[in-house]
Amino acid sequence: MKNTIKIIAVVGLILFTQACSKDDDNKIKVQDHDQNQMMSIMHSMMTKMMAMPMSKDPDDDFAMMMKMHHQGAIDMSSAELKNGDDPKMKEIAQKIIDAQKAEIVQLETFLAVHNPHMMSMEFTDQMMKEMEKSGRQADLQVINGDIDHDFAMLMIGHHHAAIENSRLELIYGHDASMKTMAQKIIDAQQAEIKELQEWLLSDGK
């Protein structure tokens, strides 16, 4: 009888240990934001954008802001190409670099000749609110130190911010080339968000 009780106790302990081990495997892993490579790039970009002098001309400020925002995406994508492992994430990263480098050239060409003249405090206020919201949202993201996962998570938020600011350009902007670019950004980045979400939902496989 005593041996039977001992056997039952040992089996119970083994099953409990296995259950705990499975629970540990299912726990969400989190890395401190200050130690995370992707988050460091995001914070650096946000700091530069928040310090950007505002002309209060919607087209001019949109172009300046988007140039910095695109560079942040390029830096994150370059880190993914260098340190990531997943072929799909590397493919998206290269696509982002190619598209946004080309758009930066267009933005710089526009800024070189554009004379700010259309003032809109409402646009400026809305854009600042969007940048602040984007920063808060990034700080709420669960990141775990896996470069592919963190790239996907943070790039979704990064794209959402670009889409919202592009919508502001469509509402308040006047320059046809900037409005065309804004719509192009919305269309392209909505499609990329879907790709990133699908990858994450498939457990990154």
Side-chain angles (χ1 to χ4, degrees), residues 89 149 152-153 156 193-205:
M89 290 302 97
H149 169 273
M153 288 292 292
I156 287 172
I193 285 173
K194 183 178 179 182
E195 285 186 274
L196 293 164
Q197 289 173 332
E198 288 174 348
W199 183 84
L200 286 166
L201 289 170
S202 69
D203 295 326
K205 295 178 181 178

Side-chain angles (χ1 to χ4, degrees), residues 123-196:
F123 171 84
T124 302
D125 290 343
Q126 290 296 320
M127 188 170 73
M128 290 301 296
K129 287 178 182 177
E130 285 298 332
M131 284 194 286
E132 290 170 0
K133 183 175 75 174
S134 176
R136 289 194 301 270
Q137 189 61 40
D139 287 337
L140 290 172
Q141 291 297 317
V142 176
I143 49 180
N144 61 17
D146 179 272
I147 197 76
D148 299 311
H149 169 273
D150 295 345
F151 172 73
M153 288 292 292
L154 292 178
M155 193 56 70
I156 287 172
H158 189 277
H159 278 8
H160 275 305
I163 288 168
E164 290 307 311
N165 280 295
S166 295
R167 285 174 176 158
L168 290 177
E169 168 62 18
L170 292 179
I171 295 169
Y172 296 101
H174 296 88
D175 184 86
S177 65
M178 286 300 98
K179 291 170 82 72
T180 297
M181 178 174 285
Q183 187 60 60
K184 181 181 176 183
I185 288 169
I186 290 171
D187 295 341
Q189 299 197 11
Q190 281 179 336
E192 284 173 2
I193 285 173
K194 183 178 179 182
E195 285 186 274
L196 293 164

Side-chain angles (χ1 to χ4, degrees), residues 25-166:
D25 290 340
N26 290 331
K27 284 181 180 177
I28 295 175
K29 297 177 182 178
V30 180
Q31 184 181 49
D32 191 289
H33 281 197
D34 291 336
Q35 298 174 5
N36 186 272
Q37 181 182 13
M38 285 293 174
M39 185 59 73
S40 295
I41 296 172
M42 181 78 83
H43 282 165
S44 177
M45 178 200 72
M46 292 301 301
T47 298
K48 292 175 183 177
M49 287 172 59
M50 294 300 291
M52 183 185 89
M54 296 287 188
S55 69
K56 298 181 177 59
D57 180 294
D59 299 310
D60 196 75
D61 288 344
F62 170 75
M64 279 295 298
M65 180 275 300
M66 197 54 68
K67 178 184 171 183
M68 295 181 186
H69 204 258
H70 275 11
Q71 188 58 55
I74 290 168
D75 292 343
M76 291 169 67
S77 298
S78 296
E80 167 61 26
L81 289 179
K82 182 179 179 181
N83 301 312
D85 297 310
D86 187 84
K88 180 62 176 178
M89 290 302 97
K90 286 175 170 286
E91 176 189 329
I92 292 176
Q94 188 61 61
K95 183 166 60 173
I96 289 171
I97 291 171
D98 294 343
Q100 299 198 12
K101 276 188 175 181
E103 288 180 353
I104 284 177
V105 172
Q106 294 177 335
L107 292 165
E108 288 176 337
T109 300
F110 171 80
L111 288 166
V113 299
H114 182 251
N115 180 32
H117 61 284
M118 302 294 292
M119 302 297 117
S120 173
M121 283 302 299
E122 188 173 357
F123 171 84
T124 302
D125 290 343
Q126 290 296 320
M127 188 170 73
M128 290 301 296
K129 287 178 182 177
E130 285 298 332
M131 284 194 286
E132 290 170 0
K133 183 175 75 174
S134 176
R136 289 194 301 270
Q137 189 61 40
D139 287 337
L140 290 172
Q141 291 297 317
V142 176
I143 49 180
N144 61 17
D146 179 272
I147 197 76
D148 299 311
H149 169 273
D150 295 345
F151 172 73
M153 288 292 292
L154 292 178
M155 193 56 70
I156 287 172
H158 189 277
H159 278 8
H160 275 305
I163 288 168
E164 290 307 311
N165 280 295
S166 295

